[in-house]
């Protein structure tokens, strides 16, 4: 079935780095842009970043620009989120999400999320 | 960035009644708006995209409308499984932005 599965979350100290992974299956991965969306405990949804289908187009939320980077490996059907200089306010569930189709950046497939806790 | 203002923050509705959630945007655009449902402990689920098109498998009691700076999600007759938090999201401009959410609870 069509799905994405995140991994790599955990507890990390402020200022350190962490890389999240997202494994996609059940669809032609190379044809779709992929996003990361996060949700702090008890809060709403915040879009984080996107990578285009061929990896050339990347956009970031201002809150993570310069600290986070997104990448993908179309041969492995994987998306990555490399997070550096982590802060307490980066604590959240991080969801990987698939764009519905080119030009429609609504998210039709979501993973179950991976929790990142930034704490000393 | 486009600011999304959802109202109300909480909506108390009896089963079988209609629920209406509004999303107002700080900039005008035609239809690049989506609605999501999120239940506790679950990932969000896409309900509506293009302001009014139901996503695959979404029941007909969910409908979306609007353009410009005001958009609406209507649930025509609330079922027990519809009590959840609902979010609007614009994809007209980068960065993509969400509303703060509307909790639809049992009255």
């Amino acid at each position: 079935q069509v799905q994405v599965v995140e991994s790599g979350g955990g507890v990390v100290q402020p200022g350190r780095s962490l890389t999240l992974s997202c494994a996609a299956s059940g669809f032609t991965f190379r044809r779709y842009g992929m996003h990361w969306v996060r949700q702090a405990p008890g809060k709403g949804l915040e879009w984080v970043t996107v990578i285009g289908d061929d990896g050339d187009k990347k956009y970031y939320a201002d809150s993570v620009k310069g600290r986070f980077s997104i990448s993908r490996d179309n041969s492995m059907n994987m998306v990555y989120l490399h997070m550096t200089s982590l802060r307490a306010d980066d604590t959240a569930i991080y969801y990987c999400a698939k764009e519905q189709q080119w030009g429609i950046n609504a998210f039709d497939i979501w993973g179950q999320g991976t929790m990142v806790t930034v704490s000393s | 960035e486009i600011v999304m203002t959802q109202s109300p923050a909480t909506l108390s509705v009896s089963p079988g009644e209609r629920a209406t959630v509004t999303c107002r945007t700080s900039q005008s655009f035609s239809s690049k708006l989506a609605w999501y449902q999120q239940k506790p402990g679950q990932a969000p689920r896409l309900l509506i995209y293009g302001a009014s098109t139901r996503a695959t498998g979404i029941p007909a009691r969910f409908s979306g409308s609007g353009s410009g700076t005001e958009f609406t999600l209507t649930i025509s007759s609330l079922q027990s499984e519809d009590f959840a938090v609902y979010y609007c999201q614009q994809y007209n401009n980068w960065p993509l932005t969400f509303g703060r959410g509307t909790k639809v609870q049992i009255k």
Side-chain angles (χ1 to χ4, degrees):
Chain A
Q1 71 276 28
V2 178
Q3 66 176 1
V4 295
V5 178
E6 306 92 338
S7 60
V11 180
V12 60
Q13 293 179 329
R16 304 297 291 264
S17 299
L18 192 67
T19 297
L20 306 182
S21 301
C22 170
S25 60
F27 62 98
T28 307
F29 178 74
R30 66 180 183 276
R31 293 183 179 171
Y32 294 93
M34 296 295 295
H35 300 252
W36 289 93
V37 177
R38 69 183 181 182
Q39 187 169 35
K43 303 298 183 182
L45 301 169
E46 179 187 16
W47 175 80
V48 175
T49 182
V50 61
I51 186 166
D53 54 0
D54 60 4
D56 282 354
K57 178 187 73 177
K58 301 176 185 180
Y59 296 101
Y60 297 91
D62 286 347
S63 58
V64 306
K65 202 172 293 182
R67 300 187 300 121
F68 289 13
S69 64
I70 189 171
S71 61
R72 66 189 294 161
D73 182 342
N74 283 350
S75 68
M76 298 290 291
N77 289 1
M78 296 289 296
V79 182
Y80 304 98
L81 181 65
H82 183 55
M83 305 182 292
T84 66
S85 302
L86 281 161
R87 311 184 304 220
D89 61 359
D90 294 317
T91 295
I93 299 171
Y94 284 75
Y95 294 103
C96 176
K98 168 189 165 292
E99 74 177 10
Q100 185 176 30
Q101 66 184 65
W102 186 87
I104 300 181
N105 285 297
F107 315 124
D108 62 345
I109 302 297
W110 296 67
Q112 83 289 349
T114 188
M115 183 70 203
V116 173
T117 302
V118 183
S119 173
S120 54
Chain B
E1 107 178 17
I2 297 178
V3 176
M4 314 290 284
T5 303
Q6 271 185 250
S7 61
T10 305
L11 186 58
S12 297
V13 184
S14 299
E17 291 187 340
R18 174 187 294 257
T20 301
V21 181
T22 299
C23 184
R24 292 183 173 87
T25 66
S26 61
Q27 295 178 33
S28 178
F29 54 88
S30 60
S31 64
K32 292 187 176 182
L33 184 120
W35 291 96
Y36 300 86
Q37 176 193 69
Q38 188 178 33
K39 297 179 180 178
Q42 296 184 16
R45 176 174 72 145
L46 178 65
L47 299 175
I48 302 285
Y49 64 94
S52 61
T53 303
R54 279 189 301 278
T56 302
I58 301 303
R61 64 181 181 272
F62 291 92
S63 64
S65 63
S67 66
T69 61
E70 186 164 323
F71 299 85
T72 300
L73 172 70
T74 300
I75 311 170
S76 60
S77 177
L78 270 158
Q79 307 299 302
S80 58
E81 62 266 30
D82 300 334
F83 293 97
V85 179
Y86 293 83
Y87 295 94
C88 59
Q89 175 234 332
Q90 66 80 20
Y91 52 94
N92 192 71
N93 287 2
W94 304 105
L96 308 184
T97 47
F98 288 90
R100 290 190 168 189
T102 293
K103 182 178 181 179
V104 177
Q105 63 184 20
I106 299 174
K107 185 174 182 180

